[in-house]
Amino acid sequence: MFLILGILLAATAVDANGCLFPLAHAVVAAENDDNWLWFLQLLLTVVQSHALQSLIDKALVFLSDRQKGLLKAVEDVFPGCPHGYCLKHLEANFHKEFKDKNLLPFLWQAASATNQPAFDKALEDMTSINPKAVPWLLQHAKTEHWAEIYFPGRRYGHLTSNIAESLNSWLLEARGKPILAMFEQIHHQLMGWFTTRRTLEDKTLGLLVAKSADHLQRVTNNRARRYRSVPSILSVLYEVKSMETRRNYIVDLTQHSCTCSIWQSSGYPCGHAISIILDQKQDPQRYVESIFIIAAYKNTYEQAIIPLDLANVNGDAIHSPPTVVSDEEDSESEDDSVLPPSTHRAPGRPPKRRIRGGHDEVNRPKRQFICSRCGENSGHSRKTCRKPINAAA
């Protein structure tokens, strides 16, 4: 058996319950600009066929780890669509530059802030620790790509690319197989997912999927009774007073918006809005974004995944990744033998040491060496031993 090297590219979304929903995947020889461009062009055809309105409204949001080829390809193929940077990768680069763990909590506070005072306070706290931190951060990553308050689209609380990491774990067994066998296993796993999730919400009562309903109920129980509202336009516009923050918030029920920005970013009414909705004797579930409704969730898995016949699989001009053929390879193209795909050496110098992952035992005790001269495990060797030896003993 030959080990076929390659890169698995994947685009993954999430459903109303926050579960993985793979959109497209492909194997290429190397992760470069041309292959990312080709892959996103294929993804564009999928989105145009099934979610064209999201392209028209610029509502399609991308979240990635800022790879160069991917950044440019998204801008070229999906112009105008918001592109968020994974905060975990930004955090790693930020910590590599300043080496101070006390800065990291304020980075996350700034990224998740939904109002200007909270964002400014996080940056002020960051500046008090290191005056160079904020200028470096703003110079290396524009706020519209990582800060929730400036992000032009809706991420629904997703600040990292953990979706892709979860997909990698899900594909761990399949990735070790030959290409066709890997695709077949992925196909079978997706068939199982669709079958299970198609009936997952059959017993759920109300308008929303169970996870969304539970979240909305927690917000209602914990926040909704803390505010007082004054109507400006009855059943439309209200001013809500908060005794906790000492600020007033403007809630527009028709636009599904609040000046705290939580409603716009999460898709769920904030506590300010729920307090008004309950005063109006209405159901808060009717004000949640439509993607969390049970009917929309069922439509997500309505189409069945048909079993594939992999007996005769041939590439074509659309689905075959770009390749470069040399003169020698072209002269032998008449040979019908099926060969492994061409692979490329990874860019950069090959690593000499294994990169430890987050689950490695990096804090385990070091190995103790025993000096062969004095017999003690004091951390030195025979060459550096300075302890006097009693010959009589």
Side-chain angles (χ1 to χ4, degrees):
M1 178 181 293
F2 293 97
L3 178 61
I4 301 176
L5 301 179
I7 302 294
L8 178 65
L9 306 182
T12 309
V14 290
D15 63 17
N17 277 321
C19 297
L20 297 179
F21 187 85
L23 298 175
H25 48 271
V27 172
V28 295
E31 189 175 2
N32 54 34
D33 294 4
D34 291 337
N35 285 332
W36 271 121
L37 180 62
W38 164 78
F39 179 72
L40 287 179
Q41 287 171 341
L42 289 184
L43 179 62
L44 177 62
T45 62
V46 175
V47 177
Q48 288 174 332
S49 300
H50 301 281
L52 180 60
Q53 193 62 41
S54 65
L55 292 177
I56 298 175
D57 298 338
K58 305 299 181 185
L60 186 64
V61 172
F62 290 84
L63 187 58
S64 71
D65 55 0
R66 301 177 63 189
Q67 296 166 339
K68 277 189 176 181
L70 183 56
L71 287 179
K72 188 176 186 306
V74 170
E75 184 178 352
D76 292 342
V77 181
F78 297 92
C81 289
H83 192 169
Y85 296 160
C86 173
L87 195 61
K88 202 66 179 177
H89 288 80
L90 182 59
E91 178 193 52
N93 294 334
F94 186 65
H95 183 61
K96 184 178 180 180
E97 179 70 20
F98 295 102
K99 305 291 192 303
D100 191 340
K101 291 185 177 181
N102 295 322
L103 290 169
L104 303 184
F106 299 118
L107 174 63
W108 286 87
Q109 290 177 20
S112 58
T114 56
N115 58 75
Q116 194 66 48
F119 179 81
D120 294 340
K121 180 64 167 58
L123 295 190
E124 290 175 6
D125 293 337
M126 199 180 296
T127 302
S128 65
I129 298 176
N130 191 326
K132 297 181 180 179
V134 173
W136 183 94
L137 178 62
L138 299 181
Q139 180 181 359
H140 285 75
K142 295 181 179 179
T143 52
E144 59 263 30
H145 294 299
W146 60 272
E148 185 66 31
I149 188 175
Y150 295 112
F151 191 70
R154 285 188 171 184
R155 290 183 289 186
Y156 299 100
H158 293 281
L159 299 180
T160 69
S161 57
N162 287 343
I163 299 171
E165 301 302 329
S166 299
L167 182 68
N168 286 335
S169 300
W170 179 65
L171 298 176
L172 191 60
E173 179 182 348
R175 286 186 305 173
K177 295 184 176 182
I179 292 179
L180 291 184
M182 178 190 70
F183 281 140
E184 189 172 14
Q185 179 167 338
I186 293 174
H187 194 80
H188 289 166
Q189 289 180 252
L190 289 176
M191 291 171 67
W193 271 7
F194 271 56
T195 301
T196 301
R197 296 175 183 179
R198 197 170 288 122
T199 58
L200 191 61
E201 299 292 335
D202 285 351
K203 297 182 179 180
T204 303
L205 302 178
L207 294 175
L208 306 180
V209 296
K211 187 175 181 179
S212 298
D214 291 342
H215 172 79
L216 188 65
Q217 189 61 49
R218 286 195 299 270
V219 176
T220 302
N221 295 340
N222 298 332
R223 311 296 305 176
R225 300 299 182 184
R226 300 186 181 190
Y227 310 110
R228 291 184 303 170
S229 61
V230 179
S232 174
I233 303 177
L234 196 62
S235 301
V236 177
L237 196 64
Y238 293 81
E239 180 179 348
V240 179
K241 298 182 179 181
S242 173
M243 301 304 294
E244 294 177 326
T245 61
R246 303 292 180 179
R247 291 200 297 268
N248 295 344
Y249 300 91
I250 307 301
V251 176
D252 191 328
L253 295 181
T254 58
Q255 297 296 323
H256 288 199
S257 66
C258 176
T259 51
C260 73
S261 299
I262 294 177
W263 196 352
Q264 298 92 300
S265 63
S266 67
Y268 298 96
C270 57
H272 312 121
I274 294 178
S275 66
I276 299 171
I277 295 171
L278 294 179
D279 288 342
Q280 297 292 316
K281 309 299 182 183
Q282 298 187 46
D283 186 359
Q285 289 196 5
R286 296 187 177 276
Y287 289 86
V288 175
E289 192 72 18
S290 60
I291 60 173
F292 299 109
I293 295 176
I294 294 178
Y297 176 80
K298 288 184 174 294
N299 289 339
T300 305
Y301 298 98
E302 182 180 18
Q303 299 295 328
I305 297 182
I306 307 301
L308 293 178
D309 181 10
L310 298 179
N312 297 305
V313 179
N314 296 311
D316 54 54
I318 297 179
H319 297 87
S320 297
T323 56
V324 178
V325 181
S326 63
D327 294 339
E328 294 182 0
E329 291 175 340
D330 188 49
S331 63
E332 298 176 359
S333 61
E334 296 180 358
D335 188 4
D336 293 333
S337 301
V338 178
L339 300 176
S342 300
T343 57
H344 301 274
R345 177 181 174 274
R349 180 177 297 178
K352 294 184 178 180
R353 294 184 178 180
R354 180 174 66 89
I355 300 176
R356 294 186 178 274
H359 299 288
D360 288 343
E361 299 177 6
V362 293
N363 296 322
R364 61 184 176 185
K366 296 182 178 180
R367 178 182 175 185
Q368 297 293 328
F369 293 92
I370 299 177
C371 177
S372 61
R373 181 172 177 268
C374 65
E376 295 184 0
N377 60 345
S378 54
H380 65 267
S381 64
R382 181 183 184 87
K383 293 181 179 180
T384 59
C385 181
R386 298 181 181 276
K387 187 172 183 179
I389 304 298
N390 187 353

